[in-house]
Amino acid sequence: MRARVFSGMQPSGNLHIGNYLGALKNWVRIQQEYECIFCIVDLHAVTVYQEPAALRAKIEEIAGLYLAAGIDPQVSAVMVQSAVPEHAELAWMLTCVTPVGWLERMTQYKAKAAKQESVGDGLLQYPVLMAADILLYQAAIVPVGDDQAQHLELTRDIAQRFNSLYGETFVMPATSLPSVGARIMGLDDPQVKMSKSETGAGHAVGLLDPPDKARKAIMRATTDSAPGVDFDNLGPGVANLLTIYQAFSGWTDDQMRKHFAGMRYGDLKKQVADVVIAHLEPFQKRYREIMGERGYVARVLAESAFRVRPLAAATVELAKRRMGLYTAE
Ligand code: AMP
Ligand code: TRP
């Protein structure tokens, strides 16, 4: 049996090249090798308020983006978290074995909580729900960007604790990070990661941004005062541009050095813009075709949910039995 892969993204904000290079691109690459489930995690999105109509539309948009990137629904499942109620059910069972202190230590929780006047309980529970997503399907591999590594460590801690309290139940999932592009930084500020919730022009390149907007953001990216690319002394902004180029092109370190050493920043940016746009244009064309076919995305989501539901139900049944919760004999 092929090992199982699970990953997901929140249907909030606009997906950007960081989401693509950190996660989505790698999902496409591994889907022939593993049994993959790619989720749109709407229950995670509502840990902060989402306008209902916008959220509803965003879910199908994200599904369309997965498909446009090359996820093949004949091969992989593309499903919505709230369509499979076992996610929430298992999350409760895991909540009961998770010390609050573990959750309060999560850096994403601390960063998000600092921005809120009143912190919803969902924000604290967020990583437990994420653990449930993964453990529910007994996933062995979870391909994500670097910012999710801490949540995955916590997932393993929760699984271990459940297994030691109640007996072997969950597969221990491994984190899979891309070798290049695991953490794409903001174009305007290379000290912070490129983020969906950051809306300033020039921060990110959205996967659905028109090419001229993408080019403008890249040409304005923050660099430093050196005259050109010096591989022995790369500032964070220049390093980020080179990473974006390398991740899109698939070039080796050697090829990168030979080609870019000494290049002036203006020329570097132009070439980064070219490689990004060369990928975005066919991607956006596929996206428009997919969304133009009425009912197609909804059908993929329904079929996928139908396909994965028995896997989820089996794990919940097992976890209930292990805990002594009520199941029919
Ligand atoms: P999110 O936008 O939080 O739903 O994240 C979806 C996926 O994209 C996760 O696997 C993240 O780790 C990944 N990701 C988000 N931002 C970045 C970034 N700036 N660079 C690389 N990967 C990212
Ligand atoms: N927390 C992840 C993020 O913001 C999204 C997510 C939810 C996820 N459940 C998951 C990722 C399970 C991988 C596996 O990026």
Side-chain angles (χ1 to χ4, degrees):
M1 207 179 77
R2 291 186 302 168
R4 199 167 288 147
V5 166
F6 184 96
S7 197
M9 295 198 194
Q10 299 184 68
S12 59
N14 292 322
L15 287 209
H16 50 64
I17 55 172
N19 297 121
Y20 178 72
L21 298 175
L24 194 46
K25 181 167 178 276
N26 304 298
W27 300 0
V28 175
R29 191 170 48 80
I30 61 176
Q31 66 177 335
Q32 303 300 338
E33 201 176 329
Y34 300 102
E35 182 190 338
C36 295
I37 302 171
F38 299 117
C39 193
I40 296 132
V41 292
D42 54 350
L43 296 173
H44 278 103
V46 294
T47 55
V48 294
Y49 177 79
Q50 306 291 330
E51 204 278 300
L55 175 62
R56 185 62 184 75
K58 202 74 187 179
I59 292 168
E60 293 203 359
E61 176 190 306
I62 304 288
L65 291 171
Y66 287 4
L67 298 172
I71 302 297
D72 178 354
Q74 303 294 332
V75 174
S76 306
V78 175
M79 44 90 54
V80 182
Q81 188 182 31
S82 66
V84 176
E86 284 82 0
H87 288 254
E89 206 177 349
L90 184 62
W92 176 255
M93 296 181 228
L94 299 181
T95 289
C96 296
V97 304
T98 306
V100 176
W102 289 6
L103 301 176
E104 286 169 340
R105 275 201 292 277
M106 294 292 108
T107 54
Q108 279 202 350
Y109 167 72
K110 288 193 278 189
K112 286 183 192 169
K115 284 194 217 155
Q116 312 279 324
E117 259 174 50
S118 140
V119 179
D121 187 25
L123 223 44
L124 187 64
Q125 298 298 315
Y126 180 109
V128 182
L129 179 59
M130 176 162 164
D133 296 341
I134 296 164
L135 302 177
L136 188 58
Y137 299 102
Q138 307 286 11
I141 301 166
V142 183
V144 285
D146 173 67
D147 61 344
Q148 297 303 312
Q150 193 188 35
H151 287 159
L152 274 157
E153 275 167 39
L154 181 81
T155 299
R156 287 188 288 272
D157 288 342
I158 293 173
Q160 217 136 39
R161 191 165 172 123
F162 190 101
N163 284 352
S164 70
L165 282 170
Y166 296 112
E168 265 323 292
T169 307
F170 297 117
V171 168
M172 226 33 78
T175 309
S176 166
L177 300 177
S179 52
V180 179
R183 190 177 190 85
I184 300 296
M185 309 308 281
L187 294 171
D188 57 344
D189 179 1
Q191 308 293 344
V192 304
K193 78 165 181 176
M194 189 176 281
S195 150
K196 287 196 298 197
S197 50
E198 196 70 55
T199 48
H203 172 74
V205 172
L207 293 179
L208 294 176
D209 281 355
D212 57 332
K213 187 174 173 208
R215 184 175 295 281
K216 217 179 258 168
I218 292 166
M219 294 308 292
R220 284 192 190 150
T222 302
T223 49
D224 52 54
S225 56
V229 178
D230 174 1
F231 278 96
D232 297 325
N233 192 12
L234 285 179
V238 176
N240 191 43
L241 289 170
L242 289 167
T243 297
I244 292 170
Y245 191 97
Q246 186 170 17
F248 272 108
S249 66
W251 283 12
T252 62
D253 290 351
D254 247 21
Q255 283 174 302
M256 290 296 293
R257 276 177 181 266
K258 279 208 185 90
H259 186 78
F260 287 109
M263 190 181 284
R264 297 158 65 96
Y265 292 157
D267 295 330
L268 164 67
K269 287 174 174 178
K270 190 174 168 309
Q271 296 201 14
V272 172
D274 287 346
V275 79
V276 170
I277 291 167
H279 281 81
L280 286 193
E281 276 178 335
F283 173 86
Q284 293 177 357
K285 183 165 172 283
R286 280 195 301 278
Y287 177 77
R288 285 190 294 269
E289 285 164 6
I290 287 161
M291 299 311 272
E293 200 177 321
R294 263 184 84 86
Y296 174 66
V297 169
R299 204 159 62 240
V300 167
L301 293 175
E303 282 171 8
S304 293
F306 183 77
R307 196 143 42 100
V308 302
R309 181 100 194 254
L311 306 173
T315 305
V316 162
E317 171 85 11
L318 176 65
K320 282 174 83 173
R321 219 168 325 113
R322 290 273 196 267
M323 289 181 96
L325 295 167
Y326 191 73
T327 54
E329 283 312 315

